[in-house]
Amino acid sequence: MNFDIENIHLGNLIKLRVNELEIPIKQICKFINTDENKIEEMYKEQFLDSDLLLLWSKLLSYDFFRIYSEHLVLYSPPSFSHAKNKITIPIFRKSIYTREMIDFILDILEKGKKSKQQIINEYRIPRSTLSKWIIKYKI
């Protein structure tokens, strides 16, 4: 399954992971401290509160927050150099691409949804990086 990083639906992803791990609903209810109906409702939700998402991440041994991090790497606006001097919170490097992100980009290219130039412009991926991915993953 190719993951669509543009359209994140946490409930669907959580349900997929629960099914993969075959975790009994009673165990989930006990861990999340809720009933079966609320769990089923969560599966339908596109977004969840961060404290709830943290519980799911722990229960399912999967970092659901990273999905948003990957989204930010691809879709965040360029940073402004004059603002960097005022930032007191940690600044993360943007040049870290996961395999899922690479697959997402190459899938777009292979299916003809976007050209190489569109990918370079929209996602600000260096031309040399995209070329290396194409060679390495043979599309």
Side-chain angles (χ1 to χ4, degrees):
M1 172 182 127
N2 281 340
F3 173 67
D4 183 359
I5 203 163
E6 288 180 301
N7 302 304
I8 299 169
H9 192 289
L10 286 172
N12 288 341
L13 296 172
I14 288 169
K15 187 171 185 176
L16 279 172
R17 183 69 175 160
V18 166
N19 291 339
E20 286 174 356
L21 298 176
E22 298 178 345
I23 299 177
I25 189 76
K26 299 230 183 272
Q27 182 182 345
I28 295 169
C29 291
K30 185 175 180 182
F31 190 87
I32 304 287
N33 194 27
T34 193
D35 60 51
E36 291 184 30
N37 290 334
K38 293 212 172 139
I39 297 297
E40 290 298 327
E41 285 301 315
M42 286 183 215
Y43 292 156
K44 297 174 186 172
E45 294 293 329
Q46 183 172 1
F47 307 106
L48 295 172
D49 289 336
S50 58
D51 57 341
L52 194 53
L53 191 57
L54 184 59
L55 283 175
W56 279 110
S57 293
K58 289 177 181 179
L59 175 65
L60 302 176
S61 301
Y62 185 87
D63 184 359
F64 289 98
F65 294 96
R66 186 166 296 207
I67 294 167
Y68 287 110
S69 297
E70 291 179 3
H71 181 90
L72 286 173
V73 168
L74 289 176
Y75 297 103
S76 64
S79 60
F80 297 103
S81 59
H82 68 279
K84 286 184 182 178
N85 296 334
K86 298 176 186 176
I87 296 176
T88 57
I89 61 175
I91 299 173
F92 302 102
R93 288 183 29 207
K94 186 175 169 155
S95 61
I96 300 172
Y97 301 101
T98 64
R99 181 57 201 248
E100 290 83 8
M101 292 170 59
I102 293 168
D103 289 345
F104 173 76
I105 295 296
L106 293 178
D107 187 57
I108 288 172
L109 183 62
E110 189 174 16
K111 289 181 177 174
K113 292 180 180 177
K114 295 185 187 208
S115 68
K116 288 181 187 178
Q117 193 59 49
Q118 287 174 310
I119 290 170
I120 290 165
N121 292 343
E122 283 185 43
Y123 303 119
R124 296 177 311 282
I125 295 173
R127 182 179 302 280
S128 59
T129 300
L130 183 58
S131 295
K132 286 177 189 174
W133 293 349
I134 292 168
I135 292 167
K136 183 175 181 178
Y137 301 108
K138 297 176 179 57
I139 71 155

